[in-house]
Amino acid sequence: MVTMRDVAKHAGVSIATVSFVLNDTKPVTAATRLRIEQAMSELGFRRNMVARALASRKTHIIAMAYPALDHRFGFSAAEFFTSAADAARKEDYHLVLWPVGNDGHELTELVGQGLVDGVVLMEVQLDDPRVGVLQRTGTPFALIGRTTTLEGLAHVDIDFDTTVEQAVDYLHGLGHRRFVMVAGDLTDPKFHNYGPFVRSEAAYRRVSAEYGVETTVLPCADSTRAGQGAAATLTRDHPEATAVLVLNEYAALGVVSGLNRLGRAVPADISVLSLLMAPDMAALSDPELSFMRTPGPELGQLGTESLIRQLEGADPLPPQLVPADLRIGASTAPPR
Amino acid sequence: MVTMRDVAKHAGVSIATVSFVLNDTKPVTAATRLRIEQAMSELGFRRNMVARALASRKTHIIAMAYPALDHRFGFSAAEFFTSAADAARKEDYHLVLWPVGNDGHELTELVGQGLVDGVVLMEVQLDDPRVGVLQRTGTPFALIGRTTTLEGLAHVDIDFDTTVEQAVDYLHGLGHRRFVMVAGDLTDPKFHNYGPFVRSEAAYRRVSAEYGVETTVLPCADSTRAGQGAAATLTRDHPEATAVLVLNEYAALGVVSGLNRLGRAVPADISVLSLLMAPDMAALSDPELSFMRTPGPELGQLGTESLIRQLEGADPLPPQLVPADLRIGASTAPPR
DNA sequence: CTGAAAGCGCTTACAG
DNA sequence: CTGAAAGCGCTTACAG
C-alpha cells in the first residue's frame, strides 16, 4: 500500500504538505504542488479513507436508513436511493443504503460506531423514534418525510395536499362525483403512524369535502393481492363509485387487475388513478395507469443536499414540500 | 465520546485487556471480564469502528456492488440485497449497497480507499472487467453470477440448465411442441455479455433440441412495452406457437398484456411461462403468471457467506448453482 | 492472565 | 509557504 509518507519522500516534502495539496486546505506553491501530484500518480497513491476518517472525525459516508425488512424496497424507493447517491457523489460523499429496523434500536448501534457522518432517514413516522435517537446522539440528519413536530428539523417531503388536490381536481374535471380512496393500512404495525398514509388520507378527506364529492376510504395493504381484494370490496359495497384513487403503488396495480378480473372495464366502467407512483411501475399495468408521479428523484437529491449542507456548516436548506405531478395514462376517462 | 481508555480506567485495567474481552481474542478471568463489562455498560461505551478498522485493517463492511444506473434495481435485486444484508448481519458484518458502473472504473476508486473488506458482485458479465479490478487490487470478493473462466473464483449463481430444463419439461408435459423464447437483448451495450442472458438462451437451445420441439428465440428488452412488442411479433411471425417462455420479468408482464390486447387468450390460446421472476411480480399479471422463481434469497445469502468465509480465513464455500423452482399459476395450460 | 508500547495512515494546530 | 510532532481510538506482537 502506498501511503502519504511514500509520496512525501518521493516528492521531497513533508507529509503535512502532501495533505495540504490533497485536501486543498492550505496554500502551496505551484512547483511543489506539481511535484507532489506527479509523485502521487507515479506511485499510484490512493488516500486511505479510514485513516482520514479517524484523524479528521469525518468519514464522508452518509447512510440512507431504510427499514428494508418492514417496508418493501420498491420502485419508488430505488428512485430515492439512486438520486440521493448521485447527489452525494457530486459533493464528494458516499451514500450507502443501510437496512435498519424502524424502531431506532439498530440505528443507535450504527451511529454509535462512528462510521457515518450523517443519516438520511426514509419512511418517516409521525412520531418516529429514530429522530429522537439521532438527536440524542448528536448525529446530523435530514428527513425525507416529516414527523409531527418539526421545529428546526431538516426535511423534505411530498406535498400531499397539493398532490391530492390535483388528483381530485382532475377526476372532478372529467365529471366524476363518486369516489373511493384505497388508502394505506394504518392498523398494520409496520406502518404505525406512517406519514404518507396519515397525510394523504387527511388531505383526501379535506379535498373531497371541498369539492363536494362522495367520500369512501378503504384501507388496504400495499400488495397486488390486497389491491385485488379492495377491487372486490369496492365493487360489492360501492358499485356507484365511478373513480378510484389508490395510494400505494402495488395496491394500485392490484386494483386494476382485480377490476379486470371482475369484468369491470377500466376506464369505461370505472377510472383508476394512482396517487403516488414511479413511472416504471405505471407501465406495468394494463391499461397503463394514470398516476401522480412520486417526486423521488427530486426528494432524494434535496434530502441529501440538505444533510450535506449541515455537514459542511453551510446555511441550511429550507424545508421543501414537492407535489407529485399528474401523468395521464389510459386508466382514466369521463364517467359513463 | 467514551473510549476504551475511559473504560480501562473505570475498571482498573489496561486498554489491551478491554480489547481482549471486546473481541474475545485472549483468555481473561471471569472477574476482570465482569468488571470490564460493567464499566462498559455504565459508561455507555461503543467501540469506534473507524479506529478499529485502522488498527486491524478490517472495516467489517461488505459492499454489494450493483450497477444501479445501468441495470434496473427491481424486485429480484431487492430480494438479493435484503437476504444478503441479513446474512452479513448474522456474521457481524455490515452489508451496504454500493451503486457502481459496470466498467470497473468506479470500483477501482472505492476499493482503493480501504473502506470495505470485500465485495459481493452482482449482475456479472461473462468477461466482467470488475473481476480483474478486484483481483489486481487483492480485494476479496464473491460473485453472484459467473464469468467464463472460473478457476478459483468464489461464486454462486442460478442453475440455468436445470431451470430451463424444468420449464421446458413442464410445458412439454402439458403437450406443447411449438415454443417461442423471448430472451434477453444482448445487443444492448448495457447488457453486453450479461451472464443470465447468454446462459439461459444457450440452455434453451440445447434443451429444446433435446426435447425435439420447434425453437424460435426473440431478443427483447426488459420492459413492459418491449414485452408487448414481442407479443405482437410472435403473433404475427409465429402464429403456430402454443407456448412462450420469457426470460425477463418486466418483459413477461408485457407479453401477457400484449397477448391480451391482441385478443389471444392466455392460457387458452397460448401459454406463457416466466423463466426467472420474483413471486411478488408474478401476481401482477392477469392471469397470474406461472413462473420459475428466482432463488434470490438463497443466492444473496450464499454469496455473502462465501465472501465472509474468505474474510475469516475459513474453508471456502464450494461454488453453488441453484435452480429456480416452478410455481404454477394460471397462465399455462395444455394446448388447444 | 495482564500490561506497556508501538503502530495503523492520516489531519491539524503550532512554529518558523 | 513548509515541517515536526501530537493525536485520532483502537489492535497486536512482545514481555512478564
Side-chain angles (χ1 to χ4, degrees), chain B residues 104-167:
Chain B
H105 180 69
E106 277 178 291
L107 200 60
T108 310
E109 290 297 317
L110 286 173
V111 302
Q113 296 179 153
L115 278 175
V116 301
D117 287 349
V119 173
V120 175
L121 205 58
M122 298 268 301
E123 306 295 278
V124 178
Q125 309 151 52
L126 293 185
D127 54 350
D128 205 302
R130 297 173 300 173
V131 170
V133 167
L134 293 168
Q135 287 179 315
R136 246 170 284 130
T137 56
T139 311
F141 64 97
L143 307 178
I144 298 185
R146 277 174 288 166
T147 49
T148 304
T149 54
L150 279 172
E151 0 78 39
L153 294 190
H155 68 276
V156 300
D157 199 1
I158 295 166
D159 179 345
F160 292 98
D161 285 322
T162 305
T163 300
V164 170
E165 181 149 0
Q166 283 179 7

Side-chain angles (χ1 to χ4, degrees), chain B residues 170-193:
Chain B
Y170 165 64
L171 292 170
H172 188 268
L174 287 176
H176 294 278
R177 296 295 178 269
R178 296 175 160 192
F179 293 1
V180 169
M181 179 194 196
V182 176
D185 179 10
L186 282 162
T187 66
D188 180 345
K190 290 181 173 175
F191 288 93
H192 170 72
N193 262 341

Side-chain angles (χ1 to χ4, degrees), chain A residues 19-33:
Chain A
S19 176
F20 298 153
V21 337
L22 214 44
N23 298 305
D24 203 24
T25 149
K26 291 214 178 167
V28 172
T29 46
T32 87
R33 153 167 281 120

Side-chain angles (χ1 to χ4, degrees), chain A residues 46 49-50 54 72-73 75 89 94 99 106 109-110 113-114 224 250 253 261 280 283-284 286 288, chain B residues 46 49-50 54 72-73 75 89 94 106 109-110 113-114 224-225 250 257 261 280 283-286:
Chain A
R46 293 182 184 288
M49 297 301 277
V50 175
L54 182 59
R72 134 193 275 156
F73 191 87
F75 281 76
R89 198 187 339 256
H94 287 306
E106 277 178 293
E109 290 297 316
L110 285 172
Q113 297 180 151
T224 310
Y250 296 88
L253 296 177
R261 289 182 193 179
D280 273 349
L284 294 182
D286 186 27
E288 217 165 275
Chain B
R46 295 183 181 286
M49 297 302 277
V50 175
L54 181 59
R72 128 196 280 157
F73 191 88
F75 281 76
R89 195 186 344 254
H94 288 305
E106 277 178 291
E109 290 297 317
L110 286 173
Q113 296 179 153
T224 311
R225 228 173 282 270
Y250 297 88
S257 67
R261 289 185 193 179
D280 273 350
L284 292 181
S285 174
D286 190 26

Side-chain angles (χ1 to χ4, degrees), chain A residues 184-245:
Chain A
D185 180 9
L186 283 160
T187 67
D188 180 344
K190 291 180 174 177
F191 289 93
H192 171 72
N193 262 340
Y194 179 51
F197 287 6
V198 176
R199 289 184 212 283
S200 62
E201 188 172 328
Y204 174 69
R205 291 191 188 277
R206 184 180 61 69
V207 172
S208 57
E210 270 174 29
Y211 278 76
V213 298
E214 264 185 41
T215 303
T216 305
V217 176
L218 297 178
C220 177
D222 188 16
S223 73
T224 310
R225 229 172 280 269
Q228 291 166 345
T233 303
L234 74 88
T235 294
R236 188 187 63 225
D237 298 345
H238 306 281
E240 74 289 355
T242 63
V244 190
L245 295 102

Side-chain angles (χ1 to χ4, degrees), chain A residues 37-264:
Chain A
E37 280 165 351
Q38 281 178 342
M40 292 200 296
S41 78
E42 274 175 35
L43 299 176
F45 168 75
R46 293 182 184 288
R47 139 166 72 189
N48 182 313
M49 297 301 277
V50 175
R52 160 151 99 140
L54 182 59
S56 69
R57 286 109 216 272
K58 300 213 164 301
T59 63
H60 276 238
I61 298 180
I62 294 172
M64 175 172 272
Y66 196 94
L69 299 178
D70 293 333
H71 293 196
R72 134 193 275 156
F73 191 87
F75 281 76
S76 292
E79 282 192 351
F80 281 97
F81 171 63
T82 51
S83 80
D86 261 9
R89 198 187 339 256
K90 279 179 191 131
E91 305 284 340
D92 192 27
Y93 282 81
H94 287 306
L95 183 135
V96 301
L97 184 65
W98 220 308
V100 297
N102 55 15
D103 57 1
H105 181 70
E106 277 178 293
L107 199 60
T108 311
E109 290 297 316
L110 285 172
V111 301
Q113 297 180 151
L115 278 175
V116 301
D117 288 349
V119 173
V120 175
L121 204 58
M122 297 269 300
E123 305 295 279
V124 177
Q125 308 151 53
L126 293 184
D127 55 350
D128 204 303
R130 297 173 299 173
V131 170
V133 167
L134 293 167
Q135 287 178 315
R136 246 171 285 130
T137 56
T139 312
F141 64 98
L143 308 178
I144 297 184
R146 276 173 290 166
T147 49
T148 304
T149 54
L150 279 171
E151 0 77 42
L153 294 190
H155 67 277
V156 299
D157 199 1
I158 295 166
D159 180 345
F160 293 98
D161 285 322
T162 305
T163 300
V164 170
E165 180 148 2
Q166 283 179 7
V168 170
D169 187 71
Y170 165 63
L171 291 170
H172 188 269
L174 287 177
H176 294 278
R177 295 296 178 269
R178 296 173 161 197
F179 294 2
V180 169
M181 180 192 195
V182 176
D185 180 9
L186 283 160
T187 67
D188 180 344
K190 291 180 174 177
F191 289 93
H192 171 72
N193 262 340
Y194 179 51
F197 287 6
V198 176
R199 289 184 212 283
S200 62
E201 188 172 328
Y204 174 69
R205 291 191 188 277
R206 184 180 61 69
V207 172
S208 57
E210 270 174 29
Y211 278 76
V213 298
E214 264 185 41
T215 303
T216 305
V217 176
L218 297 178
C220 177
D222 188 16
S223 73
T224 310
R225 229 172 280 269
Q228 291 166 345
T233 303
L234 74 88
T235 294
R236 188 187 63 225
D237 298 345
H238 306 281
E240 74 289 355
T242 63
V244 190
L245 295 102
V246 191
L247 178 61
N248 286 316
E249 46 187 10
Y250 296 88
L253 296 177
V255 166
V256 173
S257 68
L259 289 169
N260 283 338
R261 289 182 193 179
L262 292 164
R264 302 197 64 190

